[in-house]
Amino acid sequence: MVAIPQERSALARFNGRDVLGRLWSHFLLRRIAKALFTVFFVSTLIFFLVRLLPGSPVEVLIAQLTGEYGYSYEMAANQARSLFAIDPNQPLFLQYIDYLRNLMRGDLGQSLLSPGVPVTAIILKYLPWTLFSVGLGLLLAFAGGVVLGMVMAYRRNSALDHLLSIAASLFYSVPSYLFGIMVIVFFGIRMGLLPIADMRGTLSSGQQVELSVAFIKDALFHAALPIVTYALTGLGAWMLLMKSSTIAALEEDFVTAARARGLPERRIAILYVGRNAILPLFTQLTISIGFIVGGSFLVEPIFQYQGIGYTLFKAIQSRDYPLLQGIFLMITISVVVTNLIADLLYSRLDPRIRRPGRSD
Amino acid sequence: MAQTTATRGGERREAEGGSTVASASHRSPAASRGVGWGQVFVRFLRHDKIGAAAFVVFGFFVFLALFGPLLTSTDKVTDLSQLYSQPSRDHILGTDYAGHDIFTQIVRGTRSVMVVGALAAAMSTVLAVTLGALSALVGGPLDSGVLLITDVVLTIPYIVFLGVLATFVKLDSPILLALIIAAVSWPTLLRAVRAQVLSLKEREYVEAARVLDLGTAHILFREVLPNMTSYIVINFVIAMTGAIYGQIILYFFGLVPLSGDNWGLMIQFAFTKGAIYFTNSLWYIMSPIVAICLLQLSLVLISRSLEEIFNPRLREG
């Protein structure tokens, strides 16, 4: 019984197909391959959307340049080539190869509305603000949800549990953009509690990006409303998840054993129940990262917070195709990367998932 | 209760011998259950007050969608003396930035919200169910391929995908609008259907049909899908809530030509006309928001009720 698996593994070194299979079954490699494929898929999709749909943006631009500005076709095609990082005169396949090569070098073309400004520069300018506000919002929602969810599980069927359950369902069901509008309408306008106009933008005018208390305070002041929106609309789901996860963990044998050993309840709650109950939430975390980054596209315009979501909103409204393609790709990449990090983190925390469904 | 127990027994009987399985499709479990559902449904709503209320609210919106446009006048009367007026006998919900009646807009907007929502949900359900069931049944490279594409599309943030796609297509018809929403919303449902079919696949009556070599199409449409009807109906309702949010987002962000009546369009105008910054425009902004939330809440509650109706095990628990 013992000799057979050894024999198999010795043979595997000489069998190419099996080596590939073993590589594939490696958790890390499989994740990375999938992440790369996702990015490739999205960039390909963008290319063919731009090139192949009737009345594609490239053709529209060339028609506009030749028609309205009296460019010759050559000049218009050159202009389009630099703006989209695509050469319309080449065969489609070569264009595609060119496009991919440019992407690898980080060349996403130039913005149509502000020619000469590379899309990459625009993205780098606005993305950090979104990552900052979304990240903080997610962290607050996660931390709050874990604590409140545990409280709900420990005080099951108490008045507090019912109250928190209702609150969680309510926050869970209101979409973030409607929540944002209601914050402005009720707290900003009706009650006048928030200086909505002053809180717009990412920084007050005159405030430099620097490492100082004044800068951090100002950045937080401007990001407060988006952060609160992300945190509160996300909180409900975390609370409900943590509650059911904690209830499941409370019934585990090792918790009963810990109680029997007479460990202090506090220690059991944190080290035995909490640590195990939190694990399943990490898979949800990967999904919700993408969800919130996508949500910034709705929340930022409402609060006029100039992050990547706001920029994408403006690019879509003005049909600035190179910019919106670039942001779309960038958002996808950041979601893929955060998913990857969360997956790897999770496989560290819970070694059980590292092997694909095999029990040998 | 007796009805369901009988059906389960029937299911087992059909699967027992090869000769009975051949005629399984003629009296498939779903068909015999169809009679019982009506009774179970009525009996259930008597106990489930919240579910019953949700059905009433949803029925009200269906009524507005069907007859609303007939009961209200088409032309918007611009009345500059009545900007942002508060609710009164003439204007039940007050007026908007140009003195138009808000209640009329809510009533007239119901139809397009419901039609696009139902169409998009139907399209994504059809795609997800056929592709998901097929890939689970056939397995192999088809299954891995479908699963990979599904995972990839799931990774792309839904809202951003929707917004970007909308810039490439001129969304001037409800069908196109529904199509684009369906194009980004099928993956979740596909995964759910695939998982369900994978478990159904192991049932005896499906295995028996395989042994008899009845063909994938027969197994899919005659054996597997009829036994998933309740599951598909529930998922259709959930897909509809997603599709309604999707279209509101497209309208709200001005990605759809700004004409016609739609609640999303009302929020869009409230936002662009700066109404959210006026103190007297509360009724204008909140009316469509409350309408959306009510409709969505009724759909979510309906899907929960249906789940309990179709799945008696949940009821007992």
Side-chain angles (χ1 to χ4, degrees):
Chain A
M1 285 306 272
V2 184
I4 297 165
Q6 273 179 350
E7 210 173 56
R8 204 195 284 152
S9 70
L11 267 175
R13 277 184 216 125
F14 302 102
N15 188 335
R17 244 189 107 135
D18 216 51
V19 169
L20 268 182
R22 292 185 122 240
L23 279 180
W24 185 243
S25 68
H26 192 279
F27 178 74
L28 179 74
L29 288 177
R30 211 169 55 231
R31 290 287 152 177
I32 291 175
K34 205 173 207 173
L36 286 177
F37 179 77
T38 306
V39 173
F40 167 75
F41 180 88
V42 169
S43 30
T44 305
L45 184 77
I46 290 172
F47 176 82
F48 287 106
L49 276 178
V50 172
R51 282 302 300 159
L52 290 185
L53 279 183
S56 81
V58 178
E59 282 162 28
V60 170
L61 180 71
I62 292 177
Q64 194 185 9
L65 289 175
T66 50
E68 286 173 33
Y69 298 95
Y71 278 52
S72 70
Y73 182 80
E74 287 290 282
M75 284 167 70
N78 270 338
Q79 179 90 351
R81 176 186 179 170
S82 75
L83 288 177
F84 280 93
I86 283 175
D87 183 355
N89 289 325
Q90 283 185 332
L92 199 63
F93 178 70
L94 283 182
Q95 283 184 36
Y96 178 56
I97 299 291
D98 245 19
Y99 163 82
L100 287 184
R101 197 177 294 155
N102 282 334
L103 277 188
M104 301 265 221
R105 283 185 293 145
D107 180 2
L108 296 167
Q110 294 171 8
S111 166
L112 283 186
L113 289 185
S114 36
V117 183
V119 167
T120 325
I122 300 179
I123 291 175
L124 286 180
K125 187 177 164 200
Y126 292 109
L127 188 64
W129 296 109
T130 299
L131 293 182
F132 159 66
S133 57
V134 163
L136 210 55
L138 186 62
L139 213 65
L140 283 175
F142 188 76
V146 163
V147 171
L148 290 175
M150 275 193 84
V151 169
M152 282 160 79
Y154 267 88
R155 306 230 188 295
R156 221 175 325 165
N157 292 327
S158 67
L160 184 68
D161 175 30
H162 291 305
L163 197 73
L164 286 176
S165 287
I166 293 172
S169 309
L170 210 65
F171 282 127
Y172 179 59
S173 56
V174 178
S176 57
Y177 58 107
L178 292 185
F179 185 86
I181 290 181
M182 287 194 270
V183 166
I184 292 185
V185 168
F186 287 105
F187 295 100
I189 310 298
R190 303 287 296 185
M191 299 185 217
L193 292 175
L194 299 169
I196 295 290
D198 294 340
M199 294 176 88
R200 287 179 181 172
T202 46
L203 285 176
S204 304
S205 59
Q207 176 64 50
Q208 300 292 317
V209 177
E210 60 195 11
L211 205 66
S212 70
V213 178
F215 165 71
I216 293 170
K217 258 171 118 174
D218 196 53
L220 280 175
F221 174 69
H222 285 273
L225 291 181
I227 290 175
V228 167
T229 305
Y230 300 134
L232 284 183
T233 49
L235 182 67
W238 295 119
M239 282 166 69
L240 296 175
L241 271 174
M242 187 63 188
K243 182 190 171 185
S244 60
S245 181
T246 307
I247 289 174
L250 278 171
E251 283 161 11
E252 294 270 6
D253 291 340
F254 56 77
V255 176
T256 319
R259 288 222 170 102
R261 275 157 61 206
L263 292 180
E265 193 53 48
R266 231 184 129 78
R267 197 178 147 86
I268 296 175
I270 294 168
L271 286 179
Y272 287 73
V273 178
R275 268 176 68 170
N276 282 290
I278 252 182
L279 278 179
L281 269 73
F282 273 94
T283 42
Q284 276 314 111
L285 195 65
T286 64
I287 297 166
S288 81
I289 291 168
F291 195 72
I292 302 190
V293 171
S296 76
F297 167 53
L298 302 176
V299 172
E300 285 179 2
I302 288 170
F303 294 116
Q304 307 276 309
Y305 186 77
Q306 280 108 351
I308 204 75
Y310 178 85
T311 316
L312 177 64
F313 175 62
K314 289 283 166 204
I316 284 180
Q317 280 201 322
S318 54
R319 299 292 193 269
D320 189 341
Y321 287 101
L323 184 57
L324 75 88
Q325 286 167 38
I327 296 176
F328 181 43
L329 191 62
M330 198 59 228
I331 287 183
T332 309
I333 291 176
S334 51
V335 171
V336 166
V337 170
T338 39
N339 274 358
L340 197 62
I341 294 173
D343 271 347
L344 299 183
L345 201 71
Y346 188 50
S347 77
R348 287 242 140 226
L349 293 173
D350 190 352
R352 279 171 297 184
I353 68 149
R354 244 177 277 173
R355 278 155 167 248
R358 276 165 57 174
S359 49
D360 56 66
Chain B
M1 272 331 288
Q3 194 73 37
T4 20
T5 333
T7 325
R8 273 196 209 146
E11 225 169 82
R12 215 170 294 135
R13 220 179 307 127
E14 279 162 10
E16 265 162 14
S19 57
T20 30
V21 172
S23 61
S25 52
H26 300 296
R27 30 182 205 88
S28 75
S32 64
R33 208 181 289 164
V35 191
W37 278 357
Q39 291 172 351
V40 173
F41 184 68
V42 172
R43 213 179 307 150
F44 182 75
L45 283 192
R46 253 182 238 152
H47 298 288
D48 183 15
K49 296 265 158 44
I50 296 176
F55 274 102
V56 169
V57 171
F58 183 68
F60 175 67
F61 280 117
V62 171
F63 173 80
L64 285 189
L66 286 175
F67 303 110
L70 302 176
L71 299 176
T72 51
S73 63
T74 341
D75 46 321
K76 283 184 179 175
V77 191
T78 303
D79 184 353
L80 293 178
S81 65
Q82 292 278 331
L83 301 190
Y84 297 125
S85 72
Q86 298 305 302
S88 62
R89 197 177 299 164
D90 290 341
H91 304 291
I92 302 172
L93 292 171
T95 58
D96 70 0
Y97 63 95
H100 305 142
D101 184 51
I102 291 171
F103 182 69
T104 314
Q105 292 183 49
I106 293 281
V107 170
R108 295 188 68 83
T110 317
R111 181 181 279 184
S112 93
V113 171
M114 301 272 272
V115 165
V116 174
L119 259 181
M123 288 178 191
S124 69
T125 307
V126 167
L127 181 73
V129 167
T130 40
L131 211 56
L134 198 66
S135 88
L137 275 185
V138 175
L142 177 76
D143 189 35
S144 347
V146 167
L147 204 59
L148 183 62
I149 300 290
T150 310
D151 272 355
V152 166
V153 178
L154 263 184
T155 317
I156 307 170
Y158 168 82
I159 299 159
V160 175
F161 199 8
L162 194 61
V164 169
L165 272 185
T167 60
F168 291 99
V169 188
K170 203 171 167 216
L171 295 171
D172 43 11
S173 81
I175 294 180
L176 268 180
L177 193 56
L179 198 66
I180 205 168
I181 294 168
V184 299
S185 49
W186 55 270
T188 359
L189 182 54
L190 188 142
R191 279 176 74 135
V193 168
R194 185 179 162 274
Q196 183 78 1
V197 173
L198 277 181
S199 83
L200 279 181
K201 202 176 152 185
E202 306 299 318
R203 299 276 177 90
E204 286 146 337
Y205 61 88
V206 176
E207 267 178 24
R210 279 170 173 265
V211 171
L212 285 173
D213 204 14
L214 289 175
T216 310
H218 178 96
I219 297 175
L220 182 59
F221 291 108
R222 289 320 225 1
E223 308 290 342
V224 172
L225 289 186
N227 284 299
M228 289 179 63
T229 351
S230 60
Y231 191 75
I232 294 170
V233 168
I234 292 165
N235 275 296
F236 173 83
V237 175
I238 296 171
M240 199 166 152
T241 61
I244 288 173
Y245 276 138
Q247 63 164 319
I248 299 284
I249 288 168
L250 287 178
Y251 271 103
F252 177 32
F253 285 91
L255 296 169
V256 182
L258 303 177
S259 62
D261 295 290
N262 189 294
W263 301 341
L265 207 56
M266 292 176 73
I267 305 181
Q268 211 263 340
F269 276 125
F271 192 65
T272 49
K273 301 279 176 194
I276 65 169
Y277 301 112
F278 299 142
T279 41
N280 52 359
S281 58
L282 189 68
W283 287 89
Y284 181 35
I285 303 149
M286 290 312 290
S287 299
I289 292 184
V290 169
I292 293 165
C293 292
L294 263 181
L295 176 59
Q296 298 289 59
L297 195 65
S298 75
L299 282 172
V300 169
L301 292 175
I302 283 175
S303 77
R304 282 196 193 153
S305 286
L306 287 178
E307 223 162 299
E308 286 183 34
I309 291 171
F310 291 139
N311 193 348
R313 257 170 298 167
L314 278 180
R315 237 182 305 164
E316 284 155 11

